[in-house]
Each structure stands twice: as structure tokens, then as C-alpha cells.
Amino acid sequence: MENTEIIIKLTSDEALVLSDWLERVQMTDLGRLVDDEAVWAPIHRLAGTLDRSLPGIFAADYGERLDAARSRLRPDLDDSASDEEGADA
């Protein structure tokens, strides 16, 4: 099998939220969910790439930035309700 690279594009909000989640997975008991040690290689590579690409993770207001990014990425409840209403019509 050819060993080609895969390119994944994320918004800065997606990258910030994913970076935080990956950090928590690596540092907590959630790591128990990874049942194949081979999976850790791409997880660490992805986490390292995100860390290098996100200087804001070291900012004093990191928590605020993370909360704001999470809020922007969560589905808007009003949009979900109107989608369901449109499906009923």
C-alpha cells in the first residue's frame, strides 16, 4: 500500500476545540478507550501539529477563547427547531 499523506483542513475554532479534547484524552482515563496502541501514533502527531499551529493555547485568556470557540461550533438550538418544523411541513 502506498504511504501517501492525508490533508485535513480545520477552522481555527475546530482546531482549538479538537486540540483541547485530544489533550484531555491523552492525559486522563479516557485513554483507556484506545484499545490499539497503533492509534496513539496518529493521535500524538495530530495533537502536536495542532499545538504548533495554535499559539493561542498558551495565551492568558485560553479558557475564554476555548469557550467562545465551543459556543460557535455548537448547533444553534433555534436552527434545530426550525429544521424540525420544516421537516414536518
Side-chain angles (χ1 to χ4, degrees):
M1 178 177 207
E2 193 173 324
N3 195 8
T4 60
E5 288 189 348
I6 304 293
I7 297 172
I8 298 171
K9 293 185 179 187
L10 301 171
T11 66
S12 58
D13 284 347
E14 292 168 335
L16 186 61
V17 170
L18 180 59
S19 173
D20 180 73
W21 182 81
L22 285 171
E23 179 69 22
R24 287 184 287 125
V25 166
Q26 293 177 83
M27 297 304 190
T28 67
D29 285 345
L30 291 176
R32 293 180 301 141
L33 297 175
V34 178
D35 61 352
D36 181 354
E37 289 186 26
V39 174
W40 285 111
I43 288 174
H44 290 307
R45 184 171 183 187
L46 181 56
T49 299
L50 289 171
D51 287 352
R52 287 188 303 278
S53 302
L54 295 166
I57 64 174
F58 303 109
D61 64 344
Y62 170 75
E64 294 169 16
R65 291 178 187 213
L66 180 60
D67 288 343
R70 286 177 174 155
S71 293
R72 288 188 292 269
L73 290 174
R74 286 190 183 107
D76 186 3
L77 296 178
D78 292 337
D79 288 345
S80 298
S82 32
D83 288 346
E84 289 175 12
E85 290 171 9
D88 292 338

